[in-house]
Amino acid sequence: MRGNSGQAIVCVQCLQCLRQQYVPVRLGSSWRKRVLKREAIKDRVIQYAGDTAHQTQRVYVWGLAATGALGIRSYLRPEAKGQRMLRYQPRPALQTFWDGKHTKVEDAACGYGFSVFMTKNRKWGVYGTGINTESQLGVHEYPRNTGRLLEYIIEPVRIDLPLKAPDTTRVKHVACGRAHTLILTDKEGVFSMGNNGYGQCGRSIIESEQYRGNPLIHCIAELPDNISQVICGPDHSFFLTETGQLYSCGLGADGQTGAGHFDCVGVPQLVQGDIQGETIVQVSCAGDCVLALSENGDVFGWGNSEYNQLSMVSQDTQVAVAKHLPMRGLGRVSMVASGGSICGVLNDKGSVFVWGYGILGKGQMVESSSAPTQIPDTLFGKHDFNTDSRVSILRSGLSYFAAITSSGDLYTWGKNRGGNLGLGQRNDQFFPFKVSVPAEVGDVRCGVDHMVALCKTFT
């Protein structure tokens, strides 16, 4: 290659050839070996990343694009003449709605065919894209004053919250269920919107309530002031306090609210059972089976157990209160992931253990396990030449898992609805497989058929 000055530029990958006193350089239109003196080579090596270089945020999305959940407008409204709509995006695509410099995505959540993003510029904001048939993204009219409501939103639009102090209140966390959304603020509590047919929005159930075009954004007054996280199942919700107490509301047909009964809960209540007195730090529930983790590394479970998710402590198919799950021989658990019929935990050594029924990540021959079994560390890139690699984050969508390593690599496995695993095809994946993301993955959010990855550039 030649630089702007016309000088030959040494290929950085070929610097090992210095011992032989020559390096390959491009002269004209072909590659040749040219003898260069060591003194001359020093002037031709380019430093690609300077001392002041810093990482820039990138947001990648993939999966079912037909709903608009990916938020890339050109997929559903092609810009080029003759170009077809894109129904599936089975590999990571850069979400260009935010530049990552002036406006950053601080958090995101994936629902059933829709996504919500929490952004920060000069002020905090919430944006939504995808299915909006139940007003889970608020009410959006276009054109204005025409009565034409947007039931499908193909790129992010701002969700305006009824804040008392919009200039000083900031958004802390967002979560999405099947057709409802929760938004946590630092000073004005938790707001909910969308379908409340089972009380999942934390308010009383109104018979025959119409949710299409419903402008109600409800502030849940029955919660304490110290809520730190909000978590959504398909039709139920959880609210975790800074002191580790857990409240729930919504559908309880499988006992997934942990309220001690199987009825719907409209007003948030404390989860009952072995969880009482524990300091909870994480909750996971992509389906109707719920896993919770305490600060001591203890794991608790409740809800659906039709596929032996909770058979280690109960033979019932529905468990209405939290039960302590024995995790013998696994080490200290640092993270839990519940994907409906499949469950997983991550220990402090970076090893992943799975159980339940479905694609567990141990091949086609292993489709069920009543006790946690380990997925070999080598399937996550750990080997003799990369001994420091370990899984640091474990997430789950409905019937699939996602694992992020300490080096920022992403691995997925399980059901591949709409290409939600990001592997470039739509076949189910029976072992963890590395996703080709051109950035360092920091965290992911898993929907039922799409994913959002919060990343940073390599340099």
Side-chain angles (χ1 to χ4, degrees), residues 6 153 171 224 241 250 283 299:
I153 300 173
V171 178
T241 70
V283 180
V299 179

Side-chain angles (χ1 to χ4, degrees), residues 79-320:
E79 299 174 354
K81 186 177 181 181
Q83 186 178 3
R84 294 184 178 181
M85 293 172 52
L86 184 65
R87 183 174 177 81
Y88 304 100
Q89 174 54 268
R91 56 177 53 87
L94 179 64
Q95 168 57 267
T96 57
F97 189 82
W98 298 281
D99 57 13
K101 295 181 180 180
H102 302 93
T103 302
K104 295 184 178 181
V105 177
E106 297 288 332
D107 193 15
C110 297
Y112 280 43
F114 67 100
S115 303
V116 173
F117 301 90
M118 184 185 82
T119 66
K120 180 183 179 182
N121 190 352
R122 293 182 178 179
K123 296 194 302 183
W124 293 83
V126 181
Y127 292 79
T129 184
I131 296 176
N132 194 37
T133 55
E134 307 285 337
S135 300
Q136 57 264 54
L137 301 176
V139 176
H140 301 278
E141 186 181 24
Y142 183 83
R144 292 185 178 181
N145 302 321
T146 62
R148 180 176 177 266
L149 301 179
L150 297 181
E151 296 186 347
Y152 290 85
I153 300 173
I154 63 176
E155 68 177 353
V157 296
R158 187 178 179 88
I159 301 174
D160 292 321
L161 301 177
L163 299 173
K164 297 177 181 178
D167 293 332
T168 58
T169 300
R170 54 163 287 190
V171 178
K172 294 176 59 178
H173 197 210
V174 293
C176 298
R178 188 195 308 270
H180 74 290
T181 300
L182 300 178
I183 301 173
L184 171 65
T185 65
D186 63 341
K187 298 178 181 179
E188 301 190 34
V190 179
F191 292 87
S192 64
M193 64 191 77
N195 192 300
N196 189 54
Y198 305 104
Q200 61 265 47
C201 287
R203 59 185 177 89
S204 299
I205 301 171
I206 301 175
E207 295 295 335
S208 302
E209 182 177 5
Q210 296 296 318
Y211 300 108
R212 178 187 180 275
N214 191 334
L216 177 61
I217 299 179
H218 177 66
C219 182
I220 306 176
E222 293 80 7
L223 290 170
D225 296 332
N226 62 340
I227 299 297
S228 62
Q229 294 181 41
V230 289
I231 305 98
C232 286
D235 302 301
H236 59 289
S237 305
F238 292 100
F239 312 89
L240 184 61
T241 70
E242 294 176 354
T243 56
Q245 290 182 306
L246 188 63
Y247 291 79
S248 68
C249 63
L251 181 65
D254 282 322
Q256 60 266 52
T257 60
H261 54 75
F262 300 98
D263 299 325
C264 296
V265 177
V267 178
Q269 301 177 7
L270 279 171
V271 175
Q272 304 298 310
D274 297 341
I275 206 173
Q276 291 292 312
E278 298 286 342
T279 302
I280 301 302
V281 295
Q282 189 216 343
V283 180
S284 177
C285 56
D288 293 331
C289 176
V290 186
L291 294 180
L293 177 69
S294 75
E295 66 176 359
N296 297 322
D298 293 322
V299 179
F300 303 85
W302 63 93
N304 186 286
S305 187
E306 296 179 15
Y307 304 98
N308 294 322
Q309 304 100 304
L310 309 175
S311 63
M312 60 188 77
V313 294
S314 176
Q315 297 303 312
D316 297 331
T317 55
Q318 287 88 26
V319 180

Side-chain angles (χ1 to χ4, degrees), residues 10-20 22-25 31:
V10 175
C11 176
V12 176
Q13 295 179 350
C14 299
L15 292 179
Q16 295 178 352
C17 300
L18 293 178
R19 294 180 180 178
Q20 284 75 31
Y22 64 81
V23 293
V25 295
W31 285 90

